[in-house]
Amino acid sequence: MPVQRLMSVSIVALAIFLFAVACSSDPDPTPTPVADVVVDARIQALKDESDAKGLRFLSREEILAGAQREGKLVVVPGFDDVAFPAVKKAFEERYPFISLSIEAVSGSAAGERLNFDMMSGRADVDIVEASSDDWALYAENGLLLPFDYEAMALAGELAISPEAILYTDAGQIPFFGSGIDVIAYNTNMVSAEESPKTWEDCLDPKWKNMIAVDTNTALPGLLGAWTEDQIVEYAGKIAENDPLFVRGITATLVRMLGGEI
């Protein structure tokens, strides 16, 4: 599958996936045939604005029609595979005209192989979980088509909040899920009373040389709760505590449990 086709299918499939999990205004899952898609004045005005910005705008009807033409969806999500059967069942009940395939790719090595396959056009996949580390890589290799997610969300064509759209050097990046990051500590070395309870607690000089920080940092996830300037300031302060920079949660936790951290 050529890369350009891969990502154009991906955007259509991604949008239809969003409707499956988030949109309940239309109980009829039957897509509008391509020939019957009518662009009203409001949608046309939004399309024109997006065109002026060099971006693409699709209505919900166009998304559904495109999904009907494709008829299949291959997803490599970031959630646990125990949820795969339930997600597949719910999706195909709402969109019976789409065959959903969910595949698991775990670990840094497997993720890097998938990236190489996408860049070379060998990957037959529509939706992938992409960390912030990969955004620039995808943009440089033409894997992110310039859709105006914000305008589509504001118009109600995508069932996501416009606030979930982040502007980056790679383009508009929508956040379709959420995660929870916690502070973990070795209970044999630190008591519950002494343990850090907040982000600010980790700045205490008593933790100098005692904290491990994943280079795939969780700090960008604070956008919205904090400003960009606050995040940059915090990153500088945590660096003053000389943390151990690590890559990978599992290996880090093993080292922590072994008393190294």
Side-chain angles (χ1 to χ4, degrees):
M1 178 182 291
V3 171
Q4 187 73 5
R5 173 170 151 67
L6 165 72
M7 295 312 294
S8 63
V9 172
S10 174
I11 298 301
V12 171
L14 180 56
I16 194 74
F17 186 76
L18 287 171
F19 285 121
V21 298
C23 184
S24 59
S25 60
D26 181 8
D28 181 7
T30 305
T32 303
V34 178
D36 294 339
V37 173
V38 177
V39 180
D40 63 27
R42 177 184 66 91
I43 296 299
Q44 188 58 57
L46 289 167
K47 284 178 176 287
D48 293 341
E49 291 178 11
S50 295
D51 288 343
K53 295 185 290 186
L55 302 174
R56 291 186 60 193
F57 181 104
L58 291 180
S59 68
R60 182 172 188 264
E61 287 74 18
E62 289 172 315
I63 293 169
L64 287 169
Q68 185 183 35
R69 285 195 300 270
E70 290 295 332
K72 68 175 184 176
L73 177 63
V74 181
V75 182
V76 180
F79 51 81
D80 195 276
D81 56 8
V82 70
F84 288 4
V87 171
K88 180 177 174 64
K89 181 176 183 292
F91 184 90
E92 292 185 340
E93 284 179 353
R94 183 165 180 81
Y95 297 101
F97 54 90
I98 300 176
S99 174
L100 176 64
S101 173
I102 310 180
E103 302 174 1
V105 173
S106 60
S108 299
E112 289 176 1
R113 282 197 301 272
L114 178 61
N115 283 343
F116 286 133
D117 285 344
M118 287 195 295
M119 288 187 290
S120 64
R122 294 193 301 269
D124 184 15
V125 59
D126 298 307
I127 300 175
V128 299
E129 179 198 25
S131 73
S132 56
D133 293 341
D134 296 325
W135 296 347
L137 178 70
Y138 291 160
E140 292 167 2
N141 288 275
L143 295 176
L144 295 176
L145 293 181
F147 278 79
D148 199 340
Y149 296 106
E150 183 178 48
M152 293 161 71
L154 286 169
E157 304 302 325
L158 292 181
I160 59 174
S161 169
E163 296 178 355
I165 311 300
L166 180 66
Y167 280 82
T168 75
D169 291 339
Q172 290 185 30
I173 302 293
F175 284 86
F176 302 119
S178 62
I180 298 175
D181 291 285
V182 300
I183 300 171
Y185 61 93
N186 187 325
T187 56
N188 293 324
M189 302 175 71
V190 181
S191 68
E193 293 73 22
E194 294 176 320
S195 67
K197 307 296 191 303
T198 67
W199 290 98
E200 288 75 12
D201 288 347
C202 295
L203 303 179
D204 192 315
K206 72 178 182 180
W207 303 118
K208 196 176 184 71
N209 297 313
M210 297 177 65
I211 293 179
V213 176
D214 197 325
T215 54
N216 185 23
T217 176
L219 290 180
L222 291 171
L223 277 172
W226 292 4
T227 66
E228 184 174 344
D229 287 342
Q230 286 176 314
I231 292 174
V232 171
E233 180 182 4
Y234 181 86
K237 288 181 178 179
I238 198 74
E240 293 175 3
N241 251 0
D242 293 330
L244 173 64
F245 290 101
V246 296
R247 184 68 178 94
I249 297 172
T250 303
T252 305
L253 289 176
V254 170
R255 295 177 65 182
M256 182 192 73
L257 293 173
E260 290 185 52
I261 304 170

